[in-house]
Amino acid sequence: MKEAIQAYEAKNKILMATNSERKSAIINIAKKLSENFELIIEANKVDLNLAKENNLSNSLMDRLEINEQRLRDLIASVEEIANQPEVVGEILETTTR
């Protein structure tokens, strides 16, 4: 429950953050994922073992699995998001009827 409250409070901070602060936060997420790469992989193995013991379906097991390639892809995706141009507040398209 503590984490849920922290996440809710963080949402409000993100909404009030500047573009550079949001970009910095996203870059920090990628950095923390990289720094904790092995820990994440090992923790996921524990999760997968528990899921197997509880007879989780193969399709759910596949979605739960975070192997090294998936984690590398996730980190790359987060970095890509951080490097995208800021669009908050921009009008991308209008239509007149």
Side-chain angles (χ1 to χ4, degrees), residues 9-61:
E9 291 170 351
K11 173 199 65 128
N12 293 328
K13 290 179 184 177
I14 291 170
L15 289 173
M16 301 304 290
T18 65
N19 295 343
S20 63
E21 289 170 333
R22 278 192 293 275
K23 182 174 181 167
S24 177
I26 295 169
I27 290 169
N28 193 44
I29 290 169
K31 180 180 173 187
K32 293 297 182 183
L33 288 169
S34 294
E35 288 173 358
N36 292 288
F37 193 92
E38 292 302 322
L39 179 66
I40 293 167
I41 297 297
E42 291 305 313
N44 184 250
K45 287 178 184 176
V46 171
D47 291 341
L48 288 171
N49 286 335
L50 288 171
K52 189 173 185 178
E53 289 173 13
N54 288 295
N55 299 316
L56 201 67
S57 70
N58 288 340
S59 61
L60 289 177
M61 291 280 292

Side-chain angles (χ1 to χ4, degrees), residues 9 22 30 46 51-52 68 76 83 85 88 90 94:
E9 291 170 351
R22 278 192 293 275
V46 171
K52 189 173 185 178
E68 290 185 8
N83 292 315
V88 173
E90 287 188 28
T94 62

